[in-house]
Amino acid sequence: MGKLLDLKRLMSVPKERNRRRRQRQIRARNGSIDSVAKRKGSLCQQVANSDGERRTRYSGPNLPEDIWCHIHSLMPFKDAARAACVSHAFRRSWQHRPNLIFCIGTLGLDFINKIDRIIKNHSGIGIKSLQLEYDTFCNARRSASISYHLNNWLQIAVTPWIEELILTLSLSSYNVDYNFPCSLLSDGRGSSLRHLYLGSCFFHPTVNLELRNLTRLHLVTVHITGDEFGCLLSNSYALERLELKYCYGIICLKIPCLLQRLSHLEVFECRMLQAIENKAPNLCSFDLGARQVRLLLGESLQMKTLSLDYPSAVYYARAELPSNVPNLEILTICSDHEMVDTPMLPSKFFYLKCLTIDLAWRLSPAYDYFSLISFLDASPSLETFCLEISQDRMENELIIGDMSHMRQMLEHRHDNLQSVEIIGFCYTKSLIELTCHILDNTTSLKHLKLDTTRDVFSCSTGKHDKCFHMGKDMLTEAKKAVLAIETYIEPKVPSTVMLNVVKPCNRCHVAES
């Protein structure tokens, strides 16, 4: 019996040694942790686990709440949500989140209650950006009450600290009569606003609006009169970008001279618009898409980029623009009703480097493309010329093999022109004459692209498995254009010019021919 007890005692010695070794390691570890904790102060806290061992955990610095809110605002949205689930400090910072974005795609059909809950729990302090997107087509039952909710949300969110406000009611909301509460932007509440975007609503601003820091104004399908818009601009001294689309209430658009910083103006499909008068001295870029509009640009000496899209734009651009925009560098013209040929005038675009002319399908069949030489002759610095044609009916069809009566203007040189592209190239005689003229009078030319397919989707680009369908008539026109190029154009192309002829694809269009 004594021998058995001695054997048990001997077997327990290693276990006792291991236990004591673990205790020494724990004491050593706790000692080092204690010293670290003393050095770092409140960064480390000691806790005891179920085994009685002392461990530490990071509790974070004792920072002011506004610092936690700022850190939270810098996180990506998903990371910020995860942090709020495990941190009381971050959870509270949601109430000060500076950027709020709400749209039907992310919140579902019951998004009104969710937005209500989020915005009402927000302190309203620190909101820098608010974006509300509402689709009444998907929420027809809610449309009647949307005005009430929108006013409540804006009342909380629009504070003297807000910098961006985007309110978008979808284009299907034409039956929603929402009147934006302009009073929210008065009494200093809109003084910090830098970007205002309104879509599909009524907007009737008054003289009390304070938008002295507004740099960008974007109105889409907004019901506003010309006088109301003028009142709005009179208080927007810092405005740099102005964009108007589908604003049918404006008849005369006047840009006052007090807008010294305005550099970009875009007006598109304001159908009641009859005249645009600009007095802003530093306007650099102007994009107009409208019906026939009277343009009073004044002397826009800073204008560098201009895009005009309306009937008879080609004639207007050549006859009146050079004296108004003498420093223009990029000009884009789109016209769908050009009935008169381009006139030869002595006025010049001395600094024009890039010219794009887009002639749509309603162009007169008898239009003389050769008259476009007037633009080339008026642009001694021109480097890039692009002509896009979408014309179905042709007159003066060229008879292949007949080179008689081909017009030439050898005294007109274009020594800076390097790249020419003609999309929708057809076999009309005047267009072939224009192309030959460029080849004969341009020594600097490097690239010439002639596209007979009207720039349709092509499998040759690698982006599409099959070319876009071309009707039988369109395919016949393209084949005639290719024959005209081979007969009249290719013999004139020098070896220094890279010629690219885009033809109908034999693989995709074999069944259509």
Side-chain angles (χ1 to χ4, degrees), residues 271-309:
R271 295 184 179 179
M272 300 300 295
L273 189 64
Q274 298 179 5
I276 298 178
E277 181 180 355
N278 172 61
K279 293 184 178 180
N282 296 309
L283 190 63
C284 298
S285 176
F286 181 28
D287 190 349
L288 173 63
R291 298 181 179 181
Q292 197 69 36
V293 175
R294 184 186 179 194
L295 291 179
L296 301 174
L297 297 179
E299 292 187 2
S300 301
L301 300 180
Q302 303 300 322
M303 187 83 72
K304 303 295 184 182
T305 303
L306 178 61
S307 177
L308 301 177
D309 183 357

Side-chain angles (χ1 to χ4, degrees), residues 13 24 35 124 197 242 300 329 343 390 418 425 429:
V13 170
R24 287 195 299 268
S35 62
Y197 182 111
L242 173 59
S300 301
E329 296 180 0
S390 301
Q418 300 180 18
F425 188 91
K429 182 178 180 180

Side-chain angles (χ1 to χ4, degrees), residues 32-62:
S32 63
I33 291 175
D34 289 342
S35 62
V36 172
K38 289 178 181 179
R39 290 195 303 268
K40 294 187 176 181
S42 61
L43 290 178
C44 298
Q45 294 180 353
Q46 297 185 10
V47 296
N49 61 9
S50 58
D51 296 331
E53 296 181 357
R54 292 167 62 84
R55 295 183 179 178
T56 61
R57 67 181 180 187
Y58 180 78
S59 62
N62 186 18

Side-chain angles (χ1 to χ4, degrees), residues 116-229:
D116 259 336
R117 185 163 56 252
I118 294 173
I119 291 186
K120 288 181 179 178
N121 288 333
H122 199 285
S123 64
I125 300 175
I127 294 181
K128 293 185 178 181
S129 176
L130 174 65
Q131 180 174 340
L132 290 169
E133 297 182 8
Y134 180 74
D135 189 345
T136 57
F137 182 80
C138 298
N139 299 274
R141 297 179 181 179
R142 300 277 191 174
S143 298
S145 62
I146 188 60
S147 296
Y148 170 79
H149 292 288
L150 286 175
N151 288 340
N152 287 341
W153 301 336
L154 294 174
Q155 186 69 36
I156 297 174
V158 178
T159 65
W161 300 276
I162 194 167
E163 297 180 1
E164 181 180 52
L165 176 59
I166 299 177
L167 174 61
T168 305
L169 304 180
S170 68
L171 293 178
S172 61
S173 60
Y174 60 89
N175 58 340
V176 176
D177 188 12
Y178 178 65
N179 196 340
F180 182 87
C182 296
S183 59
L184 291 178
L185 303 178
S186 61
D187 299 329
R189 299 184 68 178
S191 59
S192 63
L193 194 64
R194 297 178 59 84
H195 179 201
L196 177 61
Y197 182 111
L198 298 179
S200 301
C201 66
F202 287 85
F203 189 44
H204 304 295
T206 63
V207 294
N208 297 322
L209 295 187
E210 297 182 10
L211 300 172
R212 57 179 177 269
N213 289 310
L214 188 67
T215 60
R216 183 177 179 184
L217 177 61
H218 195 164
L219 304 181
V220 180
T221 322
V222 172
H223 297 265
I224 183 173
T225 66
D227 293 338
E228 292 169 340
F229 189 73

Side-chain angles (χ1 to χ4, degrees), residues 488-503:
Y488 299 104
I489 307 299
E490 288 186 359
K492 288 181 172 291
V493 179
S495 59
T496 57
V497 176
M498 181 181 296
L499 176 62
N500 179 16
V501 180
V502 181
K503 309 175 183 179

Side-chain angles (χ1 to χ4, degrees), residues 313-350:
V314 173
Y315 182 87
Y316 169 81
R318 184 65 191 96
E320 300 187 31
L321 272 184
S323 59
N324 294 330
V325 287
N327 297 312
L328 195 65
E329 296 180 0
I330 301 175
L331 175 60
T332 302
I333 312 169
C334 300
S335 177
D336 64 355
H337 198 65
E338 207 70 39
M339 301 298 295
V340 183
D341 296 338
T342 308
M344 293 293 298
L345 299 172
S347 55
K348 301 283 186 179
F349 294 101
F350 286 103

Side-chain angles (χ1 to χ4, degrees), residues 437-493:
H437 168 83
I438 293 174
L439 289 170
D440 291 336
N441 296 275
T442 308
T443 58
S444 57
L445 191 64
K446 297 180 180 179
H447 303 280
L448 175 60
K449 179 180 178 180
L450 304 177
D451 188 342
T452 65
T453 66
R454 301 185 187 178
D455 199 26
V456 297
F457 300 150
S458 174
C459 65
S460 62
T461 62
K463 298 180 180 180
H464 308 280
D465 296 332
K466 187 177 181 180
C467 295
F468 186 80
H469 172 74
M470 296 177 63
K472 186 175 182 179
D473 293 340
M474 184 177 177
L475 195 59
T476 301
E477 298 287 327
K479 291 182 177 180
K480 290 182 180 180
V482 171
L483 181 59
I485 293 173
E486 294 173 347
T487 304
Y488 299 104
I489 307 299
E490 288 186 359
K492 288 181 172 291
V493 179

Side-chain angles (χ1 to χ4, degrees), residues 14 41 44 65 67 92 94 107 156 180 187 199 210-211 233 251 300 356 374 403 429 432 452 506:
C44 298
E65 186 175 0
I67 300 298
R92 289 191 302 269
W94 279 111
L107 294 179
I156 297 174
F180 182 87
D187 299 329
E210 297 182 10
L211 300 172
L233 294 183
I251 298 177
S300 301
T356 300
S374 176
M403 297 186 65
K429 182 178 180 180
I432 295 177
T452 65
N506 292 329

